[in-house]
Amino acid sequence: MKLLTHNMLTSHVKGVTKGYPLLIKATEVKVNEVEFNPQFVSRMIPKLEWSALVQAAEELGHRQDLPGELVADYETNEEFLKKVHRILLEVEVLEGCLQCPESGREFPISRGIPNMLLNEDEA
Amino acid sequence: VWLLFGDIITVTIGATVPTGFEHTAAEEIKEKIGVDARISKDRGRVFFPITTDKLFQVHLLRSVDNLFVVVEEYHHYQFKESKEETLMELQQLASTLPWTNALEVWKQNGTLKKKKGHRRGGNTAKSKPNCEGVGGSMASTEQQELPQENSAPEGWAGDTQAMETSTQDSDETGHGSKLIKFRVTCNRAGDKHSFSSNEAARDFGGAVQEFFQWKADMTKFDIEVLLNIHNEEVVIGIALTEESLHRRNISHFGPTTLRSTLCYGMLRLCKPQASDIILDPMCGTGAIPLEGAIEFNHSFYVAGDNNDMAVNRTVNNICHIQKRRADKGSMSGLPIDTVQWDLCSLPIRTSSVDIIITDMPFGKRMGSRKKNWDLYPSCLREMARVCRPGSGKAVLLTQDKKCFSKAISRMGGLWRKQHTVWVNVGGLHAGVYLLKRTGAVFGQTPEDVYESRGAVHMQGEEKDDKELS
């Protein structure tokens, strides 16, 4: 699971109103090489929940010096874009789980696949 | 006729494409090769000219299933009255056709394929490699890779002697030349013919064998001669691709895996833009998002399914491609992720997705008619919730057109039909629907409110009800 995906995932357990962002408990993380495309990153940033991304990077110990707030003129700041690229696409959680911040319900991640299926009583 | 080796000649290439996507293929041909393609009356076929120095470009096309070089085309072939006379004429035709250029192209194409090396057709995996994860070490040997290097038709790759002997005149004997093996495949359509495709293949094939002194072999052939007859249109060609090419990305098949060319056609239809977030909520083996991650790689894909086997096969297919890329020395990571979820209750933030693209379960191939009646409205609603209002799109393939149309008609507030492409999937007639997400906010359109009374798990649903009462 890449952090770009994590940024969109939310808990949908019945009754939960604040199911985002999901907390990450990772037991196996891997870093891959993905081709850097500055346009892709700069156009993706507005679609993200920035603080959730930073929090997730922090939880994985990969935050490095990612700022808590977006820098101005990031579109042309290649160094910054490269950092964001890395955290969005290159860091992957292979094993672990995602936890609903409200209910505490854990969703397992195995082989990089989060299992978000709910039991009948939770849906 | 002697050809100086290295002469550049112009030939006509024929390509078979998924029916319904002929225009998509023509677009891609214009874009990548720079020529105008002609769409044949025989659906599912396009033709375009190419010079032999640009031959490699045809193998970059993603919308074509099979390619062949045209030997001769007749647009108004006048068949004789009787079967005997017609077949006799076909036999005589064999020795008069302009084979030289086409055979030259076939030969050059053979050289191209050897250089490409890794191009694989799809075969059902006999052994599942233990894929550790994206870009990670592959624990076990992927046994299916080796046989696929030389997959059907056998005798093709690595058979250099066969290629060297093809176009020499009969009075020159090649040094230790190997006998060429061939077969004729005939496709016939039309109700005014006095003969069957088998008869035409047999008689024409016999004459070809006489003329070239090749050996006929149905399974282990070097050259496949194509005889396509569609009413009065007759096209004779030589195949440049093997049958299995349209499953190029998939090594781990599922029961309804879509061919990659169809996936490509659907993706082109929705015109993925840079940084688009593209979801396939019923991904099966991941064929569509994987094709997208390879061909339209400036977007990001999330493949999801509720089924254990499906998500695992998807990850296996992704790993397979990434390993192939790594082996070639390129950066292997693809912009794609896989999630296990229930598509009627997507664990995705509202309005965060740009495009939804999927193959919806067919009543006959998977699921059931009754299930579709209930499934379609709920999943269309959920897809509308996650899809960005105003700019969002959906490209949905389904065979159950009646059920789908009914479901869509009740969602005018959320989805508008923009275009439909009629296709053929495994012999079944299906529709690819391009929908636009309206600007309406989810949960506030009249149909929405009506639907949400029945739904159990929509967030904000209780709030809606309170507002109404």
Side-chain angles (χ1 to χ4, degrees):
Chain A
M1 181 197 69
K2 298 171 168 63
L3 292 189
L4 175 47
T5 305
H6 168 262
N7 203 260
M8 291 184 286
L9 289 175
T10 164
S11 165
H12 50 151
V13 174
K14 186 165 70 181
V16 164
T17 51
K18 292 194 76 218
Y20 181 89
L22 291 158
L23 305 166
I24 311 179
K25 293 182 184 174
T27 53
E28 194 183 329
V29 176
K30 195 158 184 85
V31 181
N32 284 300
E33 248 199 316
V34 178
E35 208 178 318
F36 174 59
N37 177 346
Q39 194 199 32
F40 175 91
V41 183
S42 89
R43 287 175 66 149
M44 190 60 84
I45 289 173
K47 301 182 186 185
L48 302 170
E49 285 290 322
W50 185 257
S51 52
L53 180 68
V54 176
Q55 185 183 320
E58 182 90 51
E59 282 172 319
L60 294 185
H62 278 270
R63 180 179 173 172
Q64 297 179 340
D65 49 355
L66 209 62
E69 303 256 323
L70 273 173
V71 303
D73 301 326
Y74 61 76
E75 298 93 337
T76 46
N77 187 335
E78 184 152 307
E79 208 185 296
F80 175 73
L81 293 177
K82 278 203 171 127
K83 286 184 193 150
V84 180
H85 161 82
R86 188 176 174 279
I87 208 69
L88 280 180
L89 299 176
E90 295 189 327
V91 177
E92 296 200 41
V93 179
L94 292 181
E95 302 288 328
C97 72
L98 296 172
Q99 187 176 44
C100 171
E102 191 178 310
S103 68
R105 204 297 198 180
E106 287 186 351
F107 299 95
I109 302 176
S110 163
R111 295 185 74 205
I113 310 167
N115 184 345
M116 308 300 294
L117 292 174
L118 294 171
N119 303 320
E120 279 187 26
D121 51 319
E122 295 171 306
Chain B
V1 176
W2 284 97
L3 276 180
L4 285 169
F5 190 79
D7 258 5
I8 292 175
I9 53 181
T10 303
V11 289
T12 301
I13 300 289
T16 54
V17 305
T19 17
F21 283 108
E22 294 87 352
H23 290 281
T24 305
E27 249 180 54
E28 193 194 9
I29 289 164
K30 182 77 183 179
E31 194 180 281
K32 294 184 179 166
I33 303 183
V35 293
D36 291 317
R38 167 175 42 105
I39 297 172
S40 161
K41 281 181 291 187
D42 185 2
R43 275 160 57 79
R45 215 151 265 173
V46 301
F47 293 92
F48 59 95
I50 200 164
T51 48
T52 43
D53 58 331
K54 301 255 165 46
L55 196 59
F56 71 94
Q57 290 176 346
V58 303
H59 292 292
L60 300 176
L61 298 172
R62 308 291 289 188
S63 52
V64 308
D65 285 321
N66 285 292
L67 293 160
F68 57 92
V69 53
V70 174
V71 174
E72 186 66 273
E73 267 184 282
Y74 300 95
H75 297 284
H76 299 288
Y77 192 92
Q78 296 303 312
F79 290 100
K80 292 274 185 293
E81 283 286 325
S82 75
K83 185 203 290 201
E84 290 72 32
E85 287 180 298
T86 308
L87 291 175
M88 174 69 80
E89 195 174 58
L90 274 180
Q91 288 178 40
Q92 288 164 352
L93 198 59
S95 52
T96 66
L97 292 170
W99 295 98
T100 320
N101 282 5
L103 284 170
E104 179 59 31
V105 169
W106 169 83
K107 189 164 90 167
Q108 287 189 28
N109 184 65
T111 325
L112 273 178
K113 290 159 83 65
K114 274 177 66 67
K115 279 186 193 150
K116 268 148 53 70
H118 283 275
R119 217 75 182 121
R120 282 182 189 80
N123 282 329
T124 30
K126 296 217 164 63
S127 66
K128 284 209 171 83
N130 179 19
C131 177
E132 286 295 279
V134 290
S137 54
M138 305 298 277
S140 68
T141 51
E142 284 195 59
Q143 291 163 21
Q144 78 263 27
E145 284 186 49
L146 285 173
Q148 282 185 17
E149 203 71 44
N150 298 315
S151 66
E154 293 86 64
W156 179 264
D159 203 6
T160 45
Q161 289 172 313
M163 288 184 282
E164 280 157 7
T165 55
S166 63
T167 53
Q168 309 288 300
D169 260 7
S170 53
D171 58 4
E172 170 169 329
T173 49
H175 299 290
S177 61
K178 193 173 161 171
L179 192 60
I180 292 239
K181 289 180 275 190
F182 84 106
R183 69 174 254 171
V184 171
T185 305
C186 177
N187 284 308
R188 188 200 65 77
D191 38 8
K192 299 211 178 91
H193 302 136
S194 58
F195 57 91
S196 73
S197 57
N198 280 342
E199 290 166 332
R202 178 198 66 205
D203 286 11
F204 184 69
V208 168
Q209 183 172 30
E210 266 297 310
F211 182 63
F212 285 109
Q213 293 297 298
W214 292 337
K215 182 170 166 13
D217 192 320
M218 286 303 283
T219 50
K220 294 182 192 314
F221 49 89
D222 307 305
I223 298 185
E224 184 178 15
V225 175
L226 305 166
L227 176 59
N228 290 323
I229 303 171
H230 189 258
N231 291 324
E232 288 189 333
E233 200 176 85
V234 177
V235 179
I236 296 114
I238 297 181
L240 297 176
T241 53
E242 298 121 20
E243 273 186 48
S244 50
L245 262 195
H246 56 253
R247 286 273 160 82
R248 58 181 167 250
N249 300 332
I250 304 297
S251 46
H252 296 81
F253 287 90
T256 60
T257 300
L258 264 193
R259 50 189 164 145
S260 302
T261 44
L262 201 44
C263 297
Y264 180 83
M266 286 175 68
L267 282 158
R268 260 198 101 100
L269 206 58
C270 66
K271 300 196 201 323
Q273 302 297 302
S275 313
D276 271 349
I277 305 241
I278 303 183
L279 229 70
D280 182 346
M282 295 179 256
C283 66
T285 50
I288 299 174
L290 189 48
E291 178 71 17
I294 297 169
E295 278 300 304
F296 299 91
N297 62 357
H298 46 233
S299 306
F300 186 76
Y301 300 82
V302 185
D305 205 292
N306 63 350
N307 182 285
D308 276 346
M309 279 206 295
V311 292
N312 278 294
R313 281 189 179 133
T314 298
V315 165
N316 288 344
N317 283 323
I318 295 170
C319 286
H320 181 87
I321 298 288
Q322 291 186 152
K323 177 164 196 301
R324 199 166 81 182
R325 286 156 66 101
D327 288 347
K328 283 198 217 175
S330 37
M331 278 191 227
S332 58
L334 287 170
I336 182 169
D337 241 335
T338 309
V339 181
Q340 192 167 5
W341 62 36
D342 170 7
L343 97 128
C344 293
S345 173
L346 291 170
I348 298 271
R349 278 194 285 128
T350 298
S351 307
S352 60
V353 171
D354 295 294
I355 298 175
I356 298 190
I357 179 166
T358 196
D359 172 4
M360 300 179 75
F362 295 170
K364 288 179 187 160
R365 291 163 74 205
M366 185 150 264
S368 68
R369 268 282 156 75
K370 183 176 184 307
K371 275 196 198 150
N372 287 354
W373 278 115
D374 302 324
L375 188 67
Y376 281 11
S378 5
C379 70
L380 281 167
R381 278 198 72 222
E382 188 65 348
M383 291 197 265
R385 179 184 69 79
V386 304
C387 199
R388 235 178 280 280
S391 59
K393 291 178 261 193
V395 176
L396 310 173
L397 168 65
T398 180
Q399 189 230 344
D400 205 341
K401 301 167 288 246
K402 190 166 154 197
C403 181
F404 183 79
S405 286
K406 175 163 183 189
I408 279 290
S409 65
R410 292 162 76 185
M411 294 201 186
L414 294 167
W415 292 112
R416 290 277 154 75
K417 267 200 223 179
Q418 190 167 47
H419 183 53
T420 309
V421 179
W422 302 106
V423 300
N424 188 300
V425 184
L428 302 168
H429 285 126
V432 174
Y433 297 87
L434 172 60
L435 306 173
K436 287 229 78 172
R437 174 69 170 85
T438 66
V441 171
F442 183 80
Q444 291 170 15
T445 58
E447 310 97 329
D448 234 335
V449 171
Y450 172 81
E451 291 288 352
S452 76
R453 287 181 196 277
V456 177
H457 48 246
M458 300 296 169
Q459 275 197 359
E461 176 229 342
E462 283 181 28
K463 187 162 163 275
D464 286 344
D465 272 355
K466 287 204 187 97
E467 284 176 3
L468 286 168
S469 58

